[in-house]
Structures are given as C-alpha cells and as structure tokens.
Amino acid sequence: MEDIIRGTCVDYTFDGKGIIKYNNEVIFVPDVLINEQVKVRVYKKEKNYYLGEVTKYYTKSENRVEPSCPYFNDCGGCHLLHMNYTEQLRFKEKHVQNCINRIGGIDKVVLPIIGMENPYRYRNKVQVSFSKDYKGNVIGGFYKEKTHQIIDNECCLLENEVAEEVISFFKSLIKKYDIEPFDRSSNQGTIRHLLVRTGYYSKEIMVVIITKSKFLPKQNLLIQELIKKFPNIVSIIHNVNEGRTNMILGNTEKCIYGKTYIEDTLCGLKFKISSKSFYQVNPTQTEKLYNEAIKAANLTKEDNIIDAYSGIGTIGLIASKHVNSVVGVEIVKEAIINAQNNARLNNITNAKYFIDDASKFMINYIKNNKADVVFVDPPRSGLDKKFVESILLSKPERVVYVSCDPSSLARDIKLLKEEYDIISIQPVDMFPNTMHVETIVLLCLKDANK
C-alpha cells in the first residue's frame, strides 16, 4: 500500500469512519463522507484493513456540515458532527439493516428510524474526569478516543446546559481550594471524576464526587458553594474509587447532602434515580422508545409479562397499566430496590421484582408460571446464551427486544428465529451525533396461533 493515495469514500464503518477502496485494499478514514474524493495518508496496517487520515479534500458532500464543537477532532464523545442530521439518520438506519441482513441472516426491511427534533443538549447524565496538564493546570473533560488522555473542555453540545455549568463551577472550586486532581500515572491525587444527573421535568440535580481516597478535602465548603450557586441540587454523593480501574464509580459511597436520589417523570410515571441507577440519558427519545416498544407488544389486560434486565423498572412499570401482571428480574440488588420503590411511588400493585440472574430466573419461573410477553433490554454485549436458551424453552408468545447494539441484537435474533418470526424492526436515534443507535424488535412465536 502506498503512503499517499487518492480515493473516493464508498461507505461507512459501524462507527462512522469513511471506507475507501484502493487496489483491492480497504482503508478506514475519519471525517470523510460518501462520494467525497480525498487525498489520504495511510499510516497503519491492521489485520484486514488500513488506517488513514485526510490531507486534502478534492470534493465535498452536500451532507457535510462544519462541526459545531471546537473539540470534535480530539474528543472521543461524538463521532458524526461532520454529517448533517439527515445523513446521520440514514447512516444509522443502514447500519441496523446491514447487521440484520449480514449477521442475523434475516431478510427483513427495517422501519424508518425515529429521529429527534432537536439533536443537541439531551444528556441528563454527564460524567467528566479530572487531572493536571503538563504545566500543572487543573483540567477536566472527556477522554480522547481509545486513550486515557483527558481533553480539557468548557462545553459539550450533548450535555444538559445546567450540568455543564455545575461541572465548570466544580472545576473552579478545585482550583480555588487547591484540591489535587487524580493523576493516573502516579496513582496519586484526590478528585477522579464528577458525575451530574439532572431531572428533565423535575429540574432536580444530583452531584456525585468520585475520589481516590475516603477523605474529601474541604467537604463542607464544597457543599456550601455548590448549593448556594445551584439551589436545585438536592443530592450530593461522595463516592470512593480506590482501585486502578477504568470504572467511574467505586463500591463505597455516602450521601453528604440532601437525598440519596433525584426524582423525574417518564411516560407519566415518577422514578427515583440513584447515583448507580441505569436510566436512559435522553429523556425525550426514551419516551418514544418505550412507547414504541409497548405498542409493538400489542398488550392486553390478560397478559403476564416478564421485564428481564429490568434495571429500575422503567419499561415494566410503564407497561403495567396495560397488563395483568409484571415480573421484573435484575441481578443488581440496588436496581431491584429502586424498582420496588418506584412501584410503590406510583401505587402500582401488579408488579413484582426479583434479584436473580435473568436466565436462571426464566428457567425456574416457567415451571409454575406462564409468561405471555418478555421484554429484554440487555447491556451492549446482548443476551447471555443461557437466556436465549431459556426463551426457546419457555416459548413466550411475544418477545420485545430493545437493543443498544445492532451487532449483538442481530446475533441473538438469529438464534431466536428458529422458533420466532421477526415481525418488526424499529431503529430509534437515542444518541444523536454519536455512532450509537437503539433498536426495537418484535418477535412472535411461530406456532402461537396453531
């Protein structure tokens, strides 16, 4: 392969890089759109492809826009800011379609993706890391893609504006009170991260200060300054993460001001959200996602549903008014406690929650109970093979699979299609300006009506 080549982008990778083919070789190049002709410096060979970078644009696509964030080329948070929103949606819809066809082996056309009216400032959960630069100045921001290098930034177009203000003010307090940020290389220092949760409807704010040590310097002063500046702060948590780890939150934490949670409303129900709760980060699109999932399930008052990987109970509790009963299962104890509290908070009496491995629970549950519909909303890695086996064994009439990764989704429904028909595939853009996409798949048992 030559060091410098001229080529035309013909497609995108799963994370939005341009694909250029040259002399039967494939080159992945960031910041290139389909049909753009570019000069590329090829700098690295991987197993089946090369990596390159643009040195010159000969032509530019009508779908190209100037990235509105000054940190776009360095920060790893956004991938698609150089695409207009129409092109972003086309890219994501095609990616889901390709995975369904290629990985799943399923010849089914996906429905048009559901986009967002205003694809900015949607994140109700923001977490940033702190350190010092080579001059000793305090910096705070996100990691550069595939590195531990923090890109110091003052704004993010995806963050809730109030959360952004809280982060900026907290950074100023670290400087004011001379509190040492954490240094990854030496494993020294105090302040590792700051996590801010905001209620979309309630406007309540939670601040989680993550430190290396159990001692938080100037704790009372930090609390006083934060709540004076931001009266909507109702919870401040001190979380301790002593390990050499990429995890943000540690296992030990203490509420040092206010409540241990914030409240917010989703699809007409109230939810208590703690520091470690899984709660979708885009509230307006989450309502669309869950409403679409429930609509796809075609629920009746006779249905008994299982909400697997239930988290704090969002999908199951929202669906509860349409069905006879809801059973939620989740392996994380804190999440189940949250789900039980959320059921009580909304006076929902037909939902029960259990701490257990989802696959083991399913096998035991179906011995004496019937599940008409199973909702699954697993992590990015998808369903455990044992859980897939439990579905095939228990044979609920309908399965509604909510996925945040098209590849693992396609892999799983390929296994399920032996017993299930794929009825609908609905992408939803939950994370505009990033490569991520959410998808709802409805599967119906083939012999359900026989």
Side-chain angles (χ1 to χ4, degrees), residues 42 83 450:
V42 181
M83 297 181 184
K450 293 181 181 179

Side-chain angles (χ1 to χ4, degrees), residues 132-137:
K132 283 188 175 181
D133 63 16
Y134 68 96
K135 294 181 179 179
N137 298 315

Side-chain angles (χ1 to χ4, degrees), residues 208-258:
V208 184
I209 305 169
I210 300 101
T211 64
K212 172 70 170 64
S213 64
K214 295 179 181 178
F215 175 66
L216 176 58
K218 312 292 185 182
Q219 175 178 300
N220 291 337
L221 289 172
L222 291 175
I223 293 170
Q224 291 170 15
E225 295 247 27
L226 283 167
I227 62 176
K228 181 180 179 181
K229 179 75 172 178
F230 302 98
N232 282 5
I233 291 178
V234 298
S235 174
I236 301 178
I237 307 292
H238 175 207
N239 180 280
V240 181
N241 185 346
E242 297 179 291
R244 284 189 173 234
T245 173
N246 291 329
M247 300 292 290
I248 299 293
L249 294 172
N251 294 323
T252 303
E253 66 179 31
K254 179 182 179 182
C255 181
I256 57 176
Y257 172 78

Side-chain angles (χ1 to χ4, degrees), residues 1 28 52 71 91 93 101 125 138 159 216-217 230 233 243 247 261 267 270 292 349 371 382 439 443:
M1 171 65 70
F28 295 167
Y71 310 103
F91 156 70
E93 187 178 307
N101 295 154
K125 175 186 174 184
V138 175
E159 292 178 2
L216 176 58
F230 302 98
I233 291 178
M247 300 292 290
Y261 59 89
C267 295
K270 289 183 179 181
E292 286 292 326
T349 58
T439 311
L443 304 98

Side-chain angles (χ1 to χ4, degrees), residues 274-290:
S274 65
S275 64
K276 296 182 180 180
S277 293
F278 173 76
Y279 190 77
Q280 293 279 10
V281 300
N282 186 334
T284 58
Q285 291 298 92
T286 299
E287 294 197 337
K288 295 179 185 178
L289 180 80
Y290 288 171

